[in-house]
Amino acid sequence: MENNNTIEDPKQRIQMIADALGVTVNGLWKLLGYKSNSVISSIMYGKTKSITAAFAKNAIAQLPQINYLFLIDGKLPVLTHGEIQQVQQNMIAPNETISLQQIAAKLDVISKTQIKILKKLEELDKRK
């Protein structure tokens, strides 16, 4: 079953991604960084009944403009851009680790920024 905002058939989703990227389904595996077409073929010929999270994560790592929710659930749009694309990449970044020192440094910057904002707000209040 499909509605205007969801494509349930994984084969149709793969075809729509290929179309949006301007390639054939047979050329999609190369763009996704696979060594052969077997993963795409297993979806297209029904051997794999759904698109896995691992497939989706790999696809986003290779082609960040692909909408993760479209791959997993069929929720349109096919491609993303801007902020959504950045958030998506941040969520599935490939095993990036951040040290406690890096976290502390970022929190320090946030804290200093908040203090500056509060001081400016106080100055504005005094002017009223």
Side-chain angles (χ1 to χ4, degrees):
M1 182 178 171
E2 296 177 16
N3 67 37
N4 292 338
N5 297 319
T6 305
I7 308 300
E8 292 189 18
D9 182 10
K11 293 179 244 180
Q12 189 176 359
R13 283 186 246 156
I14 295 294
Q15 183 63 58
M16 289 174 73
I17 289 168
D19 292 346
L21 295 172
V23 298
T24 65
V25 170
N26 289 329
L28 192 58
W29 63 273
K30 292 176 189 173
L31 291 176
L32 295 176
Y34 288 105
K35 294 180 181 171
S36 72
N37 195 23
S38 62
V39 173
I40 303 292
S41 291
S42 67
I43 295 169
M44 295 306 290
Y45 291 110
K47 184 177 178 185
T48 302
K49 300 291 182 200
S50 65
I51 295 175
T52 65
F55 178 90
K57 286 180 181 181
N58 178 69
I60 302 308
Q62 299 297 318
L63 299 166
Q65 67 268 37
I66 297 174
N67 182 356
Y68 182 83
L69 290 176
F70 179 73
L71 279 170
I72 295 297
D73 296 327
K75 293 180 182 173
L76 294 168
V78 176
L79 302 179
T80 64
H81 61 316
E83 249 181 56
I84 294 171
Q85 185 175 328
Q86 186 61 46
V87 168
Q88 182 171 273
Q89 283 180 289
N90 291 343
M91 290 178 66
I92 63 161
N95 297 328
E96 286 186 21
T97 57
I98 185 166
S99 72
L100 291 176
Q101 287 176 323
Q102 290 170 313
I103 292 171
K106 289 179 187 231
L107 289 172
D108 187 51
V109 169
I110 291 169
S111 176
K112 288 177 181 176
T113 303
Q114 286 176 327
I115 291 168
K116 287 178 184 177
I117 291 169
L118 289 172
K119 285 181 181 179
K120 295 230 183 227
L121 286 172
E122 287 174 3
E123 288 173 17
L124 289 172
D125 280 344
K126 287 179 184 177
R127 290 181 186 172
K128 287 185 178 179

